[in-house]
Amino acid sequence: MLDGLRYLPEYLDATAQAALLGDVRALLAEAPPYRALMPKTGQPMRVRMSNAGALGWYTDCDGGYRYISTHPETGRPWPAIPERILSVWRAVSGYGHDPECCLINLYDAAARMGLHQDRDEQEFSAPVVSISLGDSALFRIGGQNRRDPTRSLKLASGDVLVLGGSARLAFHGIDRIHAGSSRLLPEGGRINLTLRRVTLPR
Ligand code: MD3
Ligand code: FE
């Protein structure tokens, strides 16, 4: 059923994780994290976000889920996706074009992400690639219908997940963060990088 799910535990060693974290810190200095607002309700998401790449994922009260090319607060274009992050995509995606979006999700110990599908893109034949840094998370993934049975995976710092095939449109979410499970981030919490192709390559 989830034929396109590839779990690559400990894909990044400690040195690679530290290097990637340095890249992420530089990105966040350029494009500060913000709390996106859920469509209609305007309820702020618990997870703080930022983006790199030509297109950044965003939501607010009026506009709904979408991709935008500039930071909602600074008005500047999103910073480019760092080469080290692109090389993970090139090594694992099996897709012949680079991603357009690197969504950076920042979780504190109490943050969760409800079960959802990623379907704001035009290109679904490209996989989504996820890189976890910092505290472990309990990740849950089901099928293409919200009520399909789910299974859980623990995502630890350095793990990479590739979601292609039927997994690309599977419902998924983060049930909890295991505070104190990693020493990569002195401030604690978890960083997830999600790489996505948004438009159809021309
Ligand atoms: C399965 N992020 O940003 S990463 C998201 O840990 C998101 O921050 C979670 O879901 C996080 O949309 C989960 C793993 C992941 C990412 C994208 C997927 C799983 C996915 C897209 C389709 C199916
Ligand atoms: Fe998602």
Side-chain angles (χ1 to χ4, degrees):
M1 192 172 75
L2 288 181
D3 56 70
L5 171 81
R6 268 167 67 216
Y7 173 45
L8 308 172
E10 297 176 68
Y11 183 83
L12 303 164
D13 65 18
T15 307
Q17 291 172 44
L20 233 54
L21 177 60
D23 290 343
V24 172
R25 299 257 195 243
L27 288 176
L28 295 176
E30 182 68 30
Y34 51 86
R35 252 184 249 279
L37 306 178
M38 297 298 287
K40 295 185 186 119
T41 62
Q43 172 89 254
M45 293 181 72
R46 179 61 186 246
V47 174
R48 292 183 307 138
M49 299 182 164
S50 189
N51 289 275
L55 295 169
W57 188 86
Y58 184 63
T59 168
D60 60 14
C61 205
D62 320 311
Y65 304 141
R66 62 198 189 273
Y67 283 92
I68 57 178
S69 55
T70 55
H71 189 285
E73 288 162 8
T74 69
R76 290 196 299 266
W78 302 107
I81 303 175
E83 207 57 32
R84 238 188 299 266
I85 297 178
L86 286 177
S87 51
V88 174
W89 169 275
R90 290 171 186 155
V92 305
S93 72
Y95 187 76
H97 303 269
D98 280 343
E100 295 165 297
C101 174
C102 175
L103 173 64
I104 304 162
N105 289 148
L106 304 173
Y107 293 80
D108 63 25
R112 282 156 179 52
M113 189 178 283
L115 215 60
H116 66 277
Q117 276 177 310
D118 288 20
R119 48 183 314 157
D120 305 316
E121 301 75 29
Q122 286 138 29
E123 173 61 297
F124 294 129
S125 50
V128 172
V129 172
S130 144
I131 303 171
S132 294
L133 296 172
D135 285 340
S136 300
L138 187 61
F139 169 73
R140 192 146 58 98
I141 184 162
Q144 300 199 350
N145 293 103
R146 185 175 283 280
R147 295 153 69 204
D148 289 343
T150 62
R151 62 182 159 121
S152 294
L153 264 178
K154 194 165 99 176
L155 296 180
S157 196
D159 292 356
V160 168
L161 206 53
V162 185
L163 302 124
S166 66
R168 176 64 184 77
L169 287 170
F171 277 86
H172 60 279
I174 294 291
D175 287 337
R176 65 165 293 201
I177 301 297
H178 297 282
S181 53
S182 162
R183 283 166 26 175
L184 182 68
L185 309 177
E187 72 276 28
R190 170 173 185 262
I191 301 176
N192 182 261
L193 307 177
T194 304
L195 297 165
R196 301 193 183 97
R197 181 75 201 185
V198 179
T199 67
L200 298 166
R202 45 154 293 156

